[in-house]
């Protein structure tokens, strides 16, 4: 007897290998995927703009990076001596307008350089609800605690999302024709907008992803949202806020992601690397015993072999620092 409905993920038309370069962008779930990729030693630029929830802002930021377009100065704001930008997450701030402008333009340049050589762009869409500045109708990525009276709330429709995706996609493919795009809808629930409106918002995002996957042969959808809503249909898979998936759920979804997109060689490597990570996390009571020194030498040998595939410079230095000179 089955007590759950496991999501069957369609086989991917393309695979991620050990030498793939991947950029993740979008909602906080992009941070989860990107962190997992980075922890497993894949070349990943993880959420370079910070958390971005709506597709209009995501596609706009990527387009500006690809075009090396300077930031829009009219979207910078100052509050109590701190400068921020409506297009970027609150982690980007400075004590002067010039300092912030320099940092944000550098972010665009770094993304531009990475995307030109990247193999995959992973985009996680969080909500189709957007906020527009009343003074100029610009959609913002972050309101930065500006009074709500300054904004107009809107709901993007499927056509809006597809129309905003296409120019970004065309610009991207002009600079890197081989890159593949993986779309997913965030499993994080936006309860602040009410659960009813969250359902409407997610359905719009999912429908847009469906059409984008149908229209573009190098766009593939991964069902993070469906796995959380149907396969893991239980509050025990949420954090205490009942909004975000907990670590167990995040790991489960990432394993589904790996089974879908990773090559056989990469999955074999991950098994080896996870064993090495467990060894690296081992904390003995006494570090200078002969047994532990043999353990460290064995670990150093494994890391040296892995260094032919991945960068483990910091791990090798850590192990060497614990070795006791004979």
């Amino acid at each position: 007897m089955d007590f759950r409905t496991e999501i069957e993920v369609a086989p991917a038309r393309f695979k991620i290998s050990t030498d793939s370069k991947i950029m993740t962008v979008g909602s906080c779930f992009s941070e989860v995927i990107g962190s997992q990729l980075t922890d497993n030693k894949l070349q990943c630029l993880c959420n370079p703009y910070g958390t971005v929830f709506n597709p209009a802002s995501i596609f706009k930021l990527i387009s500006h990076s690809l075009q090396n377009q300077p930031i829009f100065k009219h979207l910078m704001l100052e509050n109590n001596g701190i400068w921020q930008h409506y297009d970027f997450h609150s982690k980007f701030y400075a004590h002067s307008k010039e300092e912030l402008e320099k940092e944000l333009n550098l972010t665009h340049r770094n993304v531009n350089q990475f995307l030109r050589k990247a193999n995959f762009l992973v985009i996680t869409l969080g909500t189709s609800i957007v906020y527009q500045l009343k003074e100029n109708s610009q959609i913002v990525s972050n309101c930065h605690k500006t009074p709500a009276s300054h904004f107009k709330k809107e709901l993007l429709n499927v056509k809006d999302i597809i129309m905003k995706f296409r120019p970004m996609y065309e610009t991207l493919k002009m600079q890197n024709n081989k890159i593949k795009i993986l779309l997913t809808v965030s499993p994080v629930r936006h309860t602040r907008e009410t659960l009813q409106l969250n359902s409407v918002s997610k359905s719009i995002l999912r429908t847009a992803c469906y059409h984008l996957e149908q229209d573009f042969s190098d766009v593939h959808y991964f069902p993070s949202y469906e796995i959380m809503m149907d396969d893991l249909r239980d509050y025990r898979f949420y954090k205490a806020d009942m909004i975000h998936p907990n670590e167990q759920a995040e790991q489960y979804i990432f394993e589904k992601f790996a089974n879908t997109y990773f090559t056989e060689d990469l999955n074999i490597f991950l098994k080896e690397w996870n064993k090495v990570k467990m060894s690296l996390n081992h904390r003995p009571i006494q570090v200078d015993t002969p047994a532990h020194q043999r353990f460290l030498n064995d670990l150093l040998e494994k890391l040296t072999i892995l260094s032919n595939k991945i960068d483990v410079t910091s791990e090798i230095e850590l192990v060497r620092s614990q070795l006791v000179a004979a």
Side-chain angles (χ1 to χ4, degrees):
M1 184 179 293
D2 294 327
F3 290 97
R4 53 189 277 265
T5 306
E6 188 170 352
I7 298 294
E8 295 294 333
V9 184
R13 296 186 293 271
F14 26 76
K15 295 288 186 177
I16 296 173
S17 60
T18 51
D19 57 352
S20 292
K21 294 171 69 70
I22 308 149
M23 181 174 124
T24 66
V25 62
S27 79
C28 48
F29 197 71
S30 275
E31 194 84 32
V32 172
I33 295 176
S35 297
Q36 289 271 17
L37 294 170
T38 302
D39 289 345
N40 285 294
K41 289 297 179 179
L42 285 154
Q43 302 174 73
C44 179
L45 181 60
C46 177
N47 251 17
Y49 310 112
T51 305
V52 187
F53 293 104
N54 76 80
S57 293
I58 294 170
F59 302 155
K60 175 185 177 182
L61 283 164
I62 295 172
S63 295
H64 286 185
S65 291
L66 291 168
Q67 296 165 14
N68 263 331
Q69 185 171 338
I71 63 163
F72 291 151
K73 295 183 182 180
H74 67 282
L75 293 179
M76 300 176 78
L77 69 154
E78 183 268 337
N79 185 19
N80 293 324
I82 298 296
W83 284 89
Q84 294 177 303
H85 196 288
Y86 280 125
D87 280 343
F88 289 80
H89 187 260
S90 55
K91 77 172 187 177
F92 291 98
Y93 67 91
H95 295 286
S96 72
K97 189 175 183 180
E98 294 74 21
E99 184 185 349
L100 179 62
E101 181 182 359
K102 182 179 179 180
E103 182 182 5
L104 297 182
N105 284 328
L106 177 60
T107 298
H108 276 313
R109 287 197 296 273
N110 290 339
V111 172
N112 179 287
Q113 293 171 7
F114 191 90
L115 282 179
R116 285 176 180 272
K117 298 180 180 179
N119 305 100
F120 295 93
L121 172 61
V122 181
I123 301 176
T124 303
L125 306 178
T127 180
S128 51
I129 299 168
V130 297
Y131 289 85
Q132 294 178 310
L133 281 166
K134 289 181 178 178
E135 63 183 52
N136 54 24
S137 297
Q138 289 282 319
I139 293 175
V140 303
S141 172
N142 197 305
C143 295
H144 297 303
K145 299 182 179 180
T146 303
S149 58
H150 292 201
F151 301 97
K152 178 183 178 183
K153 185 166 77 170
E154 294 285 346
L155 187 67
L156 296 175
N157 59 44
V158 173
K159 185 178 180 180
D160 291 331
I161 296 170
I162 294 173
M163 287 180 63
K164 292 178 185 300
F165 175 87
R166 186 174 290 275
M168 181 278 294
Y169 172 86
E170 291 173 350
T171 304
L172 176 63
K173 299 302 283 189
M174 284 177 63
Q175 297 196 22
N176 182 350
N177 191 47
K178 295 182 179 180
I179 194 169
K180 306 295 189 296
I181 298 177
L182 309 182
L183 295 175
T184 190
V185 173
S186 172
V188 179
R189 304 189 303 165
H190 288 251
T191 55
R192 187 177 64 178
E193 306 290 354
T194 74
L195 283 173
Q196 295 92 322
L197 193 53
N198 175 71
S199 295
V200 174
S201 170
K202 297 290 189 184
S203 66
I204 291 171
L205 296 177
R206 182 61 189 94
T207 305
C209 288
Y210 171 80
H211 287 293
L212 291 172
E213 186 178 31
Q214 297 299 309
D215 293 345
F216 300 95
S217 61
D218 47 8
V219 173
H220 191 263
Y221 177 76
F222 177 72
S224 299
Y225 180 73
E226 290 85 344
I227 292 171
M228 191 70 204
M229 293 297 107
D230 293 301
D231 193 347
L232 304 179
R233 184 187 283 270
D234 195 306
Y235 278 109
R236 66 192 169 101
F237 294 113
Y238 284 92
K239 293 181 179 177
D241 62 8
M242 296 299 164
I243 295 173
H244 294 83
N246 62 20
E247 291 183 8
Q248 188 179 16
E250 290 173 352
Q251 184 60 37
Y252 180 79
I253 295 172
F254 182 75
E255 287 173 4
K256 289 279 190 181
F257 183 90
N259 291 335
T260 303
Y261 296 111
F262 289 0
T263 63
E264 184 178 351
D265 285 346
L266 177 52
N267 278 314
I268 291 172
F269 162 75
L270 290 183
K271 290 179 181 178
E272 297 175 18
W273 176 242
N274 282 324
K275 292 177 183 177
V276 171
K277 279 200 299 184
M278 288 178 64
S279 296
L280 287 166
N281 292 329
H282 176 60
R283 295 292 179 265
I285 297 175
Q286 295 177 318
V287 297
D288 57 351
T289 63
H292 185 64
Q293 291 298 301
R294 287 194 297 271
F295 169 82
L296 290 174
N297 277 298
D298 181 58
L299 180 55
L300 183 60
E301 184 178 345
K302 292 177 181 176
L303 287 169
T304 303
I305 294 171
L306 284 174
S307 66
N308 295 320
K309 298 180 181 179
I310 56 172
D311 181 12
V312 286
T313 305
S314 59
E315 288 82 3
I316 288 176
E317 289 178 356
L318 175 65
V319 173
R320 283 178 173 164
S321 69
Q322 298 175 60
L323 287 169
V324 177

